[in-house]
Amino acid sequence: MSAILLDGKKTAEEIREWVQTEVSAMIRAGCRVPRLTAIRVGDDPASEVYVRNKKNACEQVGIESEVRILPERTSQEELLHHIDSLNADESVHGILVQLPLPPQLKPEVIQERVSPLKDVDGFHPDNLGRLFSGNPRVVPCTPAGIMVLLEKYGIPLEGRRAAVIGRSNIVGKPVSILLLGKNATVTLCHSKTRDLREVVREAEIVVAAVGKPNTVTGEMVRKDSVIIDVGMNRLEGGLVGDVDFPKAKEKAAYITPVPGGVGPMTVAMLLHNTLNAAKRLQQIDP
Ligand SMILES: NC(=O)c1ccc[n+]([C@@H]2O[C@H](COP(=O)([O-])OP(=O)(O)OC[C@H]3O[C@@H](n4cnc5c(N)ncnc54)[C@H](OP(=O)(O)O)[C@@H]3O)[C@@H](O)[C@H]2O)c1
C-alpha cells in the first residue's frame, strides 16, 4: 500500500490565507503593516532564489518586504551596521539574514546582533534558549513547519520512537527538541552515528535533514512509519530529498514529497513568524 502524502503545499496555502486575514485585520485596526527586511550578501544563486521566493510570499499576503543586497566583500562591521539600523527602525518588524554567508562573516555573531524580537528565523541565542527550555517565542521556520504538518495530519507523537538525521542548528537540533516536547523518544543522528540503518529501522517517525540523496533507503524504512524528508538536493533530473521516495512510500504510512512537502511549510512559517513579530512589537495579542 502507498503512503499518504503529507501535503506541504496545501497546508502552507492554508497558513498563508490565515496570515493574509490577520494582516488585513491589523491594517483595519490602524496598526503598522508587518514588514520584513531580508539581507543577502553576495551572489549565491540558491540564496537569490530563496530570498526572491520569500519576498514574493510576503507580497501575496500583504506583508511589506525589502531585500538589501550587499556585495560579497562586505565586512562584518558593515553588516552589523545594517542590522543595527534595522533594529532601530520602528517600521521593520522582521529581519532575516540569508545563509550561507561569505567566509569573512560569522553567522553566530550576525544572528546574535539581530534583535531577538525581530528575529523571524528564530536563530538568536535568546530564542533558541527559550525553545530549549520549553517556553518558545520564535521557532525556526523549518522545524515549526514540520510540527504543523504532523499536527494537521493528526499524527500521534507521544511515546513514539523518532530518529532525526542531521544535527544542524537550523533543522536537526530544534526539531529534536520540538519532538521531545511532544513526548516522543528522540534519537538524534549525525555523520558519526554508528548503525544509522538500525536506528532508522526502529523509528516510527523519521526526519531526514542531511543534504544527501538516498540517505534513507527503502530497506531502512519501518512499515507504517512517518517519513519527513527535509533534504533539498538538486540533481540533473530535478529536486530530490534525502529519502528514496519511490521505495519508502510503499512501506511508510505517511511521507512528505520533495518538492511540495517541507519546503513550502518553511516559507509559510516565515510569514507566520513575521506576523507574530509585528504583533509583539505593537503590543497586539498573538
Ligand atoms: N525544505 C526546507 O525548507 C529546508 C530548510 C533547511 C534545510 N533544507 C535542506 O535540508 C538538508 C540539511 O540542511 P542543514 O542546513 O540542516 O544541513 P547541514 O548543516 O549541512 O547539516 C547536515 C547534517 O547531516 C549530517 N550528516 C551528513 N552526512 C551524514 C550521514 N551520512 N549520515 C548521517 N548524518 C549525516 C551532518 O552530520 P555532522 O554534524 O556530523 O557533520 C549534519 O549534522 C539540506 O539538503 C538542505 O538544503 C531544507
Side-chain angles (χ1 to χ4, degrees), residues 142 165-168 170-171 189-192 196 209-212 215 230-233 242 262-263 266:
T142 303
I165 320 173
R167 56 174 161 181
S168 71
I170 297 172
V171 189
C189 310
H190 46 79
S191 66
K192 308 290 186 291
L196 180 70
V210 175
K212 289 181 186 163
T215 301
V230 185
M232 291 204 302
N233 307 294
D242 292 342
V262 176
T266 298

Side-chain angles (χ1 to χ4, degrees), residues 89-191:
D89 183 343
E90 280 190 12
S91 74
V92 174
H93 307 106
I95 304 169
L96 174 163
V97 182
Q98 183 65 42
L99 300 177
L101 291 167
Q104 75 277 15
L105 303 172
K106 301 280 160 279
E108 60 282 4
V109 176
I110 307 299
Q111 285 157 357
E112 195 162 351
R113 192 67 157 251
V114 173
S115 157
L117 294 175
K118 297 190 179 187
D119 165 36
V120 285
D121 268 332
F123 297 157
H124 190 286
D126 276 15
N127 288 323
L128 288 173
R130 280 171 169 263
L131 176 67
F132 276 53
S133 63
N135 176 30
R137 175 167 51 200
V138 187
V139 178
C141 301
T142 303
I146 292 170
M147 298 308 287
V148 169
L149 212 45
L150 290 169
E151 194 181 339
K152 151 107 185 162
Y153 282 83
I155 294 169
L157 298 172
E158 185 158 316
R160 299 183 87 187
R161 285 183 212 178
V164 176
I165 320 173
R167 56 174 161 181
S168 71
N169 289 336
I170 297 172
V171 189
K173 278 184 204 157
V175 85
S176 301
I177 294 297
L178 291 166
L179 289 167
L180 191 62
K182 295 288 179 189
N183 297 321
T185 301
V186 183
T187 306
L188 179 49
C189 310
H190 46 79
S191 66

Side-chain angles (χ1 to χ4, degrees), residues 221-263:
V221 170
R222 177 179 166 146
K223 193 171 174 304
D224 293 333
S225 57
V226 179
I227 308 290
I228 306 291
D229 192 352
V230 185
M232 291 204 302
N233 307 294
R234 277 169 219 287
L235 304 184
E236 267 183 23
L239 189 68
V240 298
D242 292 342
V243 177
D244 180 346
F245 181 83
K247 297 225 171 74
K249 82 174 191 332
E250 296 309 320
K251 288 168 84 181
Y254 295 90
I255 190 166
T256 55
V258 177
V262 176

